[in-house]
Amino acid sequence: MASERDLLSTEIVNRGIESSGPNAGSPTFSVRVRRRLPDFLQSVNLKYVKLGYHYLINHAIYLATIPVLVLVFSAEVGSLSREELWRKLWEDARYDLATVLGFFGVFVFTLSVYFMSRPRSIYLVDFACYQPQEDLKVSKEQFIELARKSGKFDDASLEFQKRILQSSGIGDETYIPKSLIMSTENCATMKEGRAEASAVMFGALDELFEKTRVRPKDIGVLVVNCSIFNPTPSLSAMIINHYKMRGNILSYNLGGMGCSAGIIAVDLARDMLQSSPNNCAVVVSTEMAGYNWYQGRDRSMLIPNCFFRMGCSAVLLSNRRRDYHRAKYRLEHIVRTHKGADDRSFRSIYQEEDEQRFKGLRVSKDLMEIGGDALKTNITTLGPLVLPFSEQLLFFATLVWRHLFGGNAGPGLQPSSSPSKKPYIPDYKLAFEHFCVHAASKNVLDELQRNLELSEKNMEASRMTLHRFGNTSSSSIWYELAYLEAKERVRRGDRVWQLAFGSGFKCNSVVWRSMRRVKKPNRNPWLDCIDRYPVPFSL
């Protein structure tokens, strides 16, 4: 929002020659200060509101002309009786057959062009989330004990990690790789990374192919995202080799894009399917917790150790019409926000070596502020696409008022610093039935719930995923959707909002609409414990 200084303009006024006083005979000038309208083009909020409304305005011509045409046609037809109408149609067709046939041909041609040029619907047939073996499960106390036995941390570092874990929102049933449990040496090796990648990716894909009854050779597009571990050959090549996929498959491997890369991968798969008819795509989202293990003493780099855990998701997308009846969801919207042009945002999550040359992720103390700014931009763009008109009108009117008058309440009213005059936050509960917010940490979820004014029910899937599986990076939003399905809460027509954050700094949203009532699946990572959830979240 523009500052008070930005809303003021100055003007030097010549008042002529002073006629009396100590400055008699000298020219005099004065400075006039005026309030001006803010520069709307430089306003971040209005810029992204404009982007969201752009999608709606593209269809405004239809909304404006169709009612008029219907009204004129109704008035014309309404003045004729049924017999007169049929007689008029028969006579026109009898004496002007060429005109009727020409009109019919133009109508069919226009209709064909419309259906051929419209974007193809993208369906989510099904998805799978990897559940590690029971011998990889660790409690918070076991985690600290393993860190102590490794001999890599001093007492201060161990105490710091213990405090972080106690307030993290993570429970006692998360999973870590065998390399962290059984080895006291360096676990961030290519061998251990490939072993973990094979376990989680093939485990999720085996379940996906079993659930959907799709053969690996039928997959036309493969997108794999993993931020930290990027070997050569790539992870996508590992999958193609393992399942012996066809030679003309379109494969992509996304690296270094953080916890929001799962939505980026879906966006890429959608673009590929839009240009490739009658095809299907698989999106694999994962992160290698062992390869990301930090062994030093820098506290800002110890934080990821406490949160990241094993996990992987595999999603089957299709644009084939025959998959319409068996698909679970239809893709509605994807909105991506990137703040990498700002240096603070770019370095908020940064991989580097510490003073001891140990590699790790450094987390900035300004991460919450940076994430909030990215979220504000993202939801400002998403709002016009999903919110009811009443919420859009209130939000837009409040935004324009604050930009025009600098947030002042006006004469005789309370100043803008009053809590009652804080920026209007649209009620996103009117736009979505289910929320899958990236389970980064308890503090992040608390702040999102407070700022978006969401209920505990809205945040339940995210909080329980954090408690049961920890932060599984880009796959966490799919563990959350699996939680909702295990609870049998997804009904036909429900809208699901998946929201994720990642390094760069990025904030991405994807909106799905349920095609049918989703019953409790036969394969789901929550089935063995869903009756115990939700648990009290006062950790």
Side-chain angles (χ1 to χ4, degrees):
M1 177 173 291
S3 63
E4 187 69 15
R5 180 181 300 176
D6 296 332
L7 297 178
L8 301 177
S9 62
T10 57
E11 178 184 2
I12 299 178
V13 180
N14 186 355
R15 294 188 175 277
I17 304 299
E18 186 71 24
S19 59
S20 61
N23 297 322
S26 301
T28 59
F29 301 88
S30 63
V31 178
R32 179 181 298 167
V33 180
R34 293 178 176 176
R35 175 176 288 275
R36 69 167 184 259
L37 291 177
D39 187 354
F40 284 82
L41 296 179
Q42 299 300 321
S43 168
V44 173
N45 284 340
L46 285 178
K47 171 185 175 182
Y48 286 96
V49 168
K50 177 183 176 182
L51 179 61
Y53 277 94
H54 172 73
Y55 299 118
L56 298 181
I57 296 304
N58 283 340
H59 303 285
I61 185 65
Y62 303 110
L63 299 176
T65 57
I66 290 178
V68 175
L69 293 176
V70 171
L71 184 62
V72 172
F73 180 78
S74 301
E76 179 69 22
V77 173
S79 62
L80 301 174
S81 64
R82 181 179 301 179
E83 292 76 11
E84 292 174 337
L85 179 61
W86 281 109
R87 185 169 60 254
K88 187 175 182 62
L89 290 174
W90 174 250
E91 289 177 354
D92 289 344
R94 182 177 178 183
Y95 295 107
D96 200 1
L97 185 60
T99 302
V100 174
L101 292 176
F103 173 80
F104 183 74
V106 170
F107 176 77
V108 172
F109 176 77
T110 304
L111 203 62
S112 301
V113 170
Y114 171 76
F115 281 106
M116 292 176 63
S117 62
R118 65 183 301 188
R120 299 176 182 273
S121 295
I122 305 299
Y123 304 109
L124 193 164
V125 179
D126 211 335
F127 66 96
C129 296
Y130 173 69
Q131 183 174 7
Q133 302 172 0
E134 288 298 304
D135 59 345
L136 302 180
K137 187 180 293 185
V138 294
S139 66
K140 293 191 288 288
E141 291 184 2
Q142 290 173 331
F143 183 89
I144 296 299
E145 187 60 28
L146 289 169
R148 179 178 288 108
K149 289 181 178 179
S150 71
K152 301 170 184 176
F153 307 101
D154 57 16
D155 291 340
S157 298
L158 290 170
E159 184 61 29
F160 174 75
Q161 292 182 76
K162 184 176 180 179
R163 292 200 309 269
I164 293 293
L165 280 172
Q166 292 302 323
S167 61
S168 64
I170 294 177
D172 291 324
E173 296 183 290
T174 60
Y175 303 92
I176 60 176
K178 281 186 177 181
S179 58
L180 300 183
I181 297 177
M182 305 176 64
S183 175
T184 59
E185 300 182 3
N186 181 22
C187 56
T189 64
M190 296 298 293
K191 179 180 178 181
E192 296 296 344
R194 286 186 182 276
E196 183 182 349
S198 298
V200 299
M201 293 193 308
F202 300 157
L205 284 167
D206 287 345
E207 180 181 334
L208 179 70
F209 292 140
E210 180 183 342
K211 292 168 69 173
T212 59
R213 302 184 186 277
V214 172
R215 300 179 306 166
K217 287 187 177 294
D218 294 333
I219 305 302
V221 179
L222 173 65
V223 183
V224 181
N225 70 269
C226 180
S227 185
I228 298 297
F229 183 61
N230 291 284
T232 300
S234 65
L235 297 177
S236 59
M238 287 175 58
I239 294 174
I240 293 172
N241 175 262
H242 179 79
Y243 291 100
K244 309 304 177 186
M245 293 180 168
R246 66 197 198 196
N248 64 343
I249 187 172
L250 302 175
S251 66
Y252 302 88
N253 205 91
L254 305 180
M257 305 196 76
C259 300
S260 66
I263 297 178
I264 299 174
V266 171
D267 190 23
L268 176 58
R270 176 189 65 171
D271 291 342
M272 293 300 100
L273 290 176
Q274 291 290 1
S275 60
S276 179
N278 197 34
N279 209 342
C280 56
V282 167
V283 175
V284 179
S285 301
T286 187
E287 192 59 76
M288 301 304 114
Y291 195 78
N292 193 41
W293 184 257
Y294 172 65
Q295 308 173 52
R297 300 177 181 180
D298 190 310
R299 294 193 172 187
S300 65
M301 302 174 79
L302 282 170
I303 294 176
N305 283 6
C306 302
F307 288 98
F308 285 104
R309 297 293 187 266
M310 291 182 71
C312 180
S313 64
V315 181
L316 178 63
L317 303 176
S318 173
N319 61 6
R320 300 182 297 190
R321 290 185 174 88
R322 66 174 179 269
D323 289 327
Y324 172 85
H325 295 288
R326 69 171 185 146
K328 285 186 174 181
Y329 306 93
R330 183 178 67 243
L331 180 59
E332 296 280 306
H333 307 288
I334 294 180
V335 174
R336 294 169 52 183
T337 301
H338 204 304
K339 292 291 185 178
D342 176 67
D343 290 340
R344 288 175 67 244
S345 298
F346 176 71
R347 298 188 67 89
S348 60
I349 302 176
Y350 203 82
Q351 186 182 25
E352 59 183 350
E353 292 86 11
D354 64 6
E355 295 179 353
Q356 299 175 284
R357 308 300 295 172
F358 288 124
K359 181 181 63 178
L361 284 176
R362 187 181 301 278
V363 179
S364 169
K365 62 181 180 180
D366 300 325
L367 184 62
M368 295 293 289
E369 177 188 347
I370 292 168
D373 181 60
L375 172 66
K376 179 176 64 176
T377 301
N378 189 267
I379 65 175
T380 301
T381 309
L382 180 67
L385 303 178
V386 297
L387 288 170
F389 181 74
S390 58
E391 286 296 303
Q392 293 187 44
L393 187 61
L394 284 172
F395 174 63
F396 188 72
T398 304
L399 190 63
V400 171
W401 175 271
R402 290 176 61 83
H403 275 75
L404 284 174
F405 302 102
N408 294 326
L413 299 178
Q414 293 177 324
S416 61
S417 59
S418 170
S420 63
K421 293 300 177 182
K422 65 181 181 179
Y424 177 73
I425 302 298
D427 187 359
Y428 281 88
K429 297 186 293 295
L430 299 175
F432 308 107
E433 284 73 33
H434 307 289
F435 297 78
C436 297
V437 180
H438 170 50
S441 70
K442 181 178 182 296
N443 290 338
V444 170
L445 296 180
D446 288 343
E447 285 297 313
L448 281 169
Q449 180 178 3
R450 182 178 62 83
N451 281 284
L452 295 180
E453 299 179 354
L454 301 178
S455 66
E456 286 296 332
K457 193 77 169 179
N458 298 141
M459 300 298 294
E460 182 181 318
S462 300
R463 293 191 185 278
M464 296 308 105
T465 297
L466 180 64
H467 180 272
R468 176 64 180 85
F469 293 99
N471 182 345
T472 60
S473 189
S474 56
S475 63
S476 67
I477 55 177
W478 296 105
Y479 284 87
E480 294 162 16
L481 186 55
Y483 177 88
L484 295 171
E485 291 190 354
K487 286 288 187 180
E488 297 187 270
R489 293 180 181 172
V490 182
R491 311 290 180 180
R492 179 183 176 88
D494 283 359
R495 296 154 296 180
V496 180
W497 181 20
Q498 291 181 318
L499 175 67
F501 306 88
S503 58
F505 189 85
K506 299 180 285 293
C507 178
N508 299 324
S509 294
V510 59
V511 180
W512 306 93
R513 183 178 292 273
S514 174
M515 304 285 290
R516 53 185 169 86
R517 179 177 178 270
V518 180
K519 299 180 180 179
K520 183 181 292 188
N522 296 326
R523 298 284 299 274
N524 187 293
W526 292 92
L527 292 184
D528 62 341
C529 61
I530 193 63
D531 294 335
R532 295 189 278 114
Y533 285 89
V535 298
F537 207 81
S538 57
L539 303 173

